[in-house]
Amino acid sequence: MNTSSNIIEARPLHNVTNVFADRHEAGLLLAHLLRDVASPDALVLGIPAGGVPVAKVIADELMLPIGVAVAKKMLLPGNTEAGFGGVAFDGSEWINKEMVKYYQLTPTQIDHSRQQARHKVQNRLKTLCGGHYPNVKDREVILVDDGLASGATLYPTLEALNKLHPKKLIVAVPTSSEHSALDVAEHCDVLVCPNIREGYPYAVAAAYRYWDDVDDSELPAMLSRKLN
C-alpha cells in the first residue's frame, strides 16, 4: 500500500490491469491529475521512445512546452527489451546490482551493454534535440514515461536532471510497480502515478489494452510545441 506523502495515485485503479486503452488515454488521465500540481510555466520532458506520446498529450492538454530527456537501457545479453540498467543524456548511469548478480553478468558484458547504450543515447540526442541538453535550470519539470518497472531509464534521467538544478521535479507515469513507485518518490518532489500495482511479476504493458512499440521516427512530429 502507498505510504509516501508525495505520491498522487488514483486509488480505484490500485492493483487493476487493463486500465488504459492506449498511451493517449493514459496521458489524458495524467494531465487531469497534474492540473492541481503543475505550474503554468512547467516544462514537460518525455523519455523516448514510449514516454514521448504520453508527454505530448500532457503538454497539449496543459498548454505546456515539450521536449525530451534522452535515455537508453543497458540490455541483458541477447535480449532486446529487458535492461539491467540505463544511461541518460549526460552519461549518468544506473545499474541494478541485484540483476547483475542474478544473471551473473561479467564486467565485459556490462561494459558492452553500456557502450551500446551510450552510442544510442548520443544518436538520439543529436537527432531529437540537436545535441543539446534540456534547459531546466530553475524551472519546474514534469518528467514523463509510459510506465515504471525497474526504473532502468528513469533513475539515471532523474540523476542527470537534478545535476541541472531544476526548481521542482515531478515524475508522471501512468503505471508503476509499488516497489519502484515508493523508491522513485524519494528522488523527486512529486510522483503522479494513477495505477500502482503490488506483487510480482509486474509488466507495464498489462496496464494497457492496446500496447505497441514506438519508433524513433515518429517522435519529431510529437515534439512540435516549441520549448520556451
Side-chain angles (χ1 to χ4, degrees):
M1 182 177 293
N2 168 23
T3 58
S4 179
S5 60
N6 67 329
I7 296 179
I8 297 175
E9 179 188 5
R11 290 298 299 174
L13 301 182
H14 191 85
N15 271 345
V16 180
T17 56
N18 298 318
V19 175
F20 311 108
D22 51 22
R23 289 182 178 89
H24 182 86
E25 186 175 273
L28 289 175
L29 180 52
L30 282 175
H32 173 73
L33 295 175
L34 284 162
R35 288 188 189 279
D36 295 329
V37 180
S39 67
D41 59 350
L43 169 64
V44 180
L45 294 178
I47 297 179
V52 175
V54 182
K56 173 177 169 50
V57 175
I58 294 171
D60 287 347
E61 289 293 308
L62 302 183
M63 295 299 293
L64 297 174
I66 184 174
V68 291
V70 173
K72 194 68 180 177
K73 291 178 184 177
M74 297 183 205
L75 296 172
L76 291 169
N79 195 308
T80 60
E81 294 294 333
F84 64 88
V87 177
F89 54 85
D90 71 340
S92 295
E93 66 177 50
W94 175 82
I95 293 178
N96 186 325
K97 295 179 181 178
E98 292 181 0
M99 289 187 70
V100 168
K101 183 178 180 180
Y102 179 82
Y103 288 101
Q104 299 181 328
L105 300 179
T106 67
T108 299
Q109 289 173 319
I110 293 171
D111 191 59
H112 179 69
S113 292
R114 175 189 287 117
Q115 295 308 320
Q116 284 187 321
R118 287 180 181 274
H119 178 70
K120 291 175 181 177
V121 164
Q122 289 304 312
N123 284 344
R124 273 182 169 175
L125 195 62
K126 182 179 180 180
T127 302
L128 298 176
C129 29
H132 301 295
Y133 296 171
N135 180 19
V136 303
K137 183 175 173 59
D138 298 324
R139 299 192 66 173
E140 179 173 305
V141 175
I142 303 172
L143 180 62
V144 183
D145 208 347
D146 54 7
L148 174 58
S150 68
T153 52
L154 191 60
Y155 284 123
T157 306
L158 284 172
E159 180 180 339
L161 289 174
N162 276 315
K163 291 176 184 176
L164 299 177
H165 307 292
K167 178 173 64 177
K168 183 178 182 180
L169 189 48
I170 300 170
V171 173
V173 290
T175 181
S176 173
S177 68
E178 183 180 54
H179 171 78
S180 292
L182 292 171
D183 195 34
V184 166
E186 296 181 4
H187 296 84
C188 63
D189 295 294
V190 181
L191 171 64
V192 180
C193 180
N195 174 235
I196 295 176
R197 304 202 307 273
E198 303 170 31
Y200 182 85
Y202 167 85
V204 167
Y208 295 86
R209 295 190 293 278
Y210 175 75
W211 176 262
D212 64 342
D213 292 330
V214 178
D215 192 88
D216 277 18
S217 63
E218 303 173 50
L219 303 183
M222 301 180 192
L223 301 170
S224 57
R225 186 184 298 281
K226 294 181 179 180
L227 300 178
N228 292 333

